[in-house]
Amino acid sequence: MTNIPPPAEELRLLDAELRQLDARRAVLLRRREWLVHVLRTASAQRSVPGAGQMPPVWPVAPGAAAPRTEATAPGVQNVLLLLGGILLTVAAIAFTLVGWGHLGITGRALVLAAVTLAALSAPVWLLRRGLGSTAEAVAALGMALTVLDAYALHEVAFDGSGGLGYAAAASAVLSAAWAAYGAAAGLLVPRSDAGSPARPDRARAGAGTAARPALRLPLPCAVVTAQVPLLLWALAVDAGPHTLTAVLLVTAAADTVVALRPAHAPVRIVGLVGACVAGALGVLSAGWLCWSAAAPVAAARGAALLLLAAAIALAAARYAPKPEVALCASLAAGLCLVAGAGGVLRAWLPGEWTVPGCLALGIALLTAVRTPLPRPMRQGVVGASLVVQGLAVLWTLPLVAGTLLGPVALIERPWSGTPLDIRDAVFQDAAWASYATAAPLVLAAVAGVLALAERRAVRRPASGVGALVLAWAAVVVTPVVLELPYGAGLVADGAVVVVALGVAERARRGTGGPSAPALTALVLALVTSVTLALVSLATEAGTIAVLLALAALFGVASTRAGLVAFTAPAALAHATALACAAGASAGLRPEHTALLVLVVPAVAALVAARAARAGRSAATVTVEAAGAGAALLALTLAVTDLPVLASVLALCGVVTAGTALRPERRRAGHAAAALFLLAAWVRLAAWEVTTPEAYTLPVSVAALAVGHLRRRRDPSVSSWAAHGAGLSVTLVPSLLAMWGDPHWLRPLLLGTAALAVTLVGARSRLQAPLVLGGGTLALVALHELAPYIAQVVGVLPRWAPPALAGLVLLALGATYEQRLRDARRLREALGRLH
């Protein structure tokens, strides 16, 4: 059997063959022109004696490729036909508008009728001869002439009629006439005469699909024109908004019928676009009429229009050829149903119950799952239900956000007094929304739907997480909505924390490890605990009681292996806040409260060590981070008092040194040493010690001791790495202080120390002590000789320093090579040292 390619592939092959034929035709035409030229030349040469022979060579070889054309023959033809049609149309318009008055009524009618009839009849004759593009151009001209005929008829016979009414009737007649004209052209012209020969095999392959019409323009133009008659009629009779909306929806229904028919592709596309545009405008207008109505009857009229739109969308979804179209149409139908019913509920019920009513309708759409509708339609209706539920949840977000973030304002005025109720404590600086009464019901309803969906589809953990979050939000906002007493509201939030931790532990046990529900419940417990701590700032007793209870609760929860990485840091954070609150309650100053806060880093170090022994590295890191944060807070509180700050630094160093005893935390010893050093420096600053050696000598001694032990363990370590830093820490600041010190004791001691360092370096053959000690000794000597040098320079005449400099330069120049050899030997000698 013959392998028939798909239509797109066959069209591509035909286009390629046509291009090859055009190229071959161009080659043959050039050959013909050349032959004609040769024959003419030969005939001319015969009449001239002694003329040369005919050249036997053609300039272009027969096998050579023809020059590439920049435009194809069909393209040029279409452009010419388009321009011709436009020019003829412009001429007809000019004749109708300008030259109309030069003829009588009979002449006008005869001219337009004859031209229009000729323009509409010619395409049939052209199609039978295979001139399809020309037929399309002439048909377009004929249809344009019919519009001019309608205008001329109005000017002659219906001049007194209304413009909108006549336009509505004319557009309807033109639409019907063009549709009949396109159908008649297809009947009068056989398919073999319409531009391509008929093929039985293609007919069999295309069985069940719409045949391509003989003329492509009339039917799409008829569909486009059919969009306006009803709308123009409604405007002509001054119809109200409800009638205009109904007209738009009826037009959308007609377009939907056209789009769903097995018609030619352009007709379906035009119908689909018209249905979408008219339907969208109709739905928006109906929704505005329904939701802006003050009386239930007016809202019901708008709801009826939305019901009509939903019926049109459902019919389109039922007969749609593609599942995607059916899904979108059914989704739109579901939204229209909910919007209509919700508008009626809005007119009957109080304002705060409108969204719950719409939510109930949206949830009712889920019953479509049990209906025998096709699967795409069921999916679309379920999607509409999800959209309604999502919008309802968004409606509650301001209340949830206010409940969680409102207590932040209490940080600026802690312990300001017992509020009237929990709502007054949370929304003290924010306005209360009147619609918030029904928010807990909305959140609970959506949470129930998600929980049911998660139970019926085990492999959808997102539904369970969403149900958990929405249920938590419903419970959190309920005390605020019910205006519970302040104490009862605190107890309710504390119960939420306990329940969330229990849910997290249960979810962890059910999965054998961390899972999305368990982590979600943990996060919700942490968020609720922070909100509870902020709300408790209204009273002193409430703050201490809540923080103590939260620290104990999260401490007990830390005994569970799967929760310690989250609960232990939370317990430490609440304990830190409790220490600050206890210090403030006891009347302690902030720097003294810092000593209480230091208990938290010590406990964190113990908990981290225990977690490390148990092999829980994640918990170790989080606990140590919480302890470090508490230590940083203690340092911040003590920064105003230097003696207390020194004590806090020393205690932090003790805790860090204890952490460094663990094998995996040896590097913490560097931090401990730095903390001890900072503590010593702060203590010296508190004693108003200004001698730099008091700050640098302890560092140098410790650094030199460490460097000595390092070189004993590893003799390959250089002296710069082992002793350079320790020596520089003391020698450099002392040198800087010496230049501004008028006394003799510091230069003497520094010179003695530098001499000792130089001798030790020379004896041990170490480069760093030798260079640093020798350089320091030379600078000390220069400092001591500076006054005498200044006196000598002052006694000498002014010409003596330049003369002395010149002599030095001459001496150096004369012995330049010897100086280079001396410098090279000195460098080699230093290089041989360690």
Side-chain angles (χ1 to χ4, degrees), residues 703-704 706-708 710-711 714-729 731-732 757 761 764-776 827 829-834:
L704 291 174
V706 173
H708 178 67
R710 184 180 179 187
R711 276 187 55 81
D714 186 7
S716 63
V717 177
S718 66
S719 60
W720 288 102
H723 308 297
L727 294 173
S728 301
V729 167
L731 293 178
V732 174
V757 170
S764 305
R765 303 182 65 182
L766 296 177
Q767 191 178 106
L770 183 61
V771 173
L772 292 176
T776 303
R827 185 185 64 184
L830 287 176
R832 286 192 294 270
L833 300 179
H834 202 291

Side-chain angles (χ1 to χ4, degrees), residues 173-277:
V173 173
L174 287 176
S175 176
W178 290 351
Y181 176 65
L187 296 176
L188 295 175
V189 181
R191 293 295 295 134
S192 59
D193 297 336
S196 62
R199 291 178 52 182
D201 53 350
R202 293 293 302 275
R204 288 193 301 269
T209 61
R212 177 178 173 179
L215 291 175
R216 290 175 292 179
L217 286 178
L219 292 180
C221 291
V223 176
V224 172
T225 309
Q227 307 298 313
V228 295
L230 287 178
L231 184 59
L232 292 176
W233 169 80
L235 294 175
V237 298
D238 295 330
H242 290 83
T243 305
L244 288 174
T245 304
V247 164
L248 288 173
L249 293 177
V250 171
T251 304
D255 290 332
T256 303
V257 174
V258 173
L260 295 178
R261 289 182 68 253
H264 189 42
V267 178
R268 294 199 306 270
I269 293 174
V270 172
L272 179 61
V273 172
C276 293
V277 174

Side-chain angles (χ1 to χ4, degrees), residues 359 363 385-386 388-393 396 440-453 463 466-467 470-471:
L359 177 62
I363 295 175
S385 174
L386 294 179
V388 173
Q389 295 179 53
L391 293 176
V393 171
T396 64
L441 295 178
V442 171
L443 293 170
V446 180
V449 171
L450 291 178
L452 184 61
S463 300
L470 293 178

Side-chain angles (χ1 to χ4, degrees), residues 297-318:
V297 177
R301 294 176 62 189
L305 294 174
L306 287 173
L307 182 62
L308 174 60
I312 296 171
L314 285 176
R318 178 64 181 84

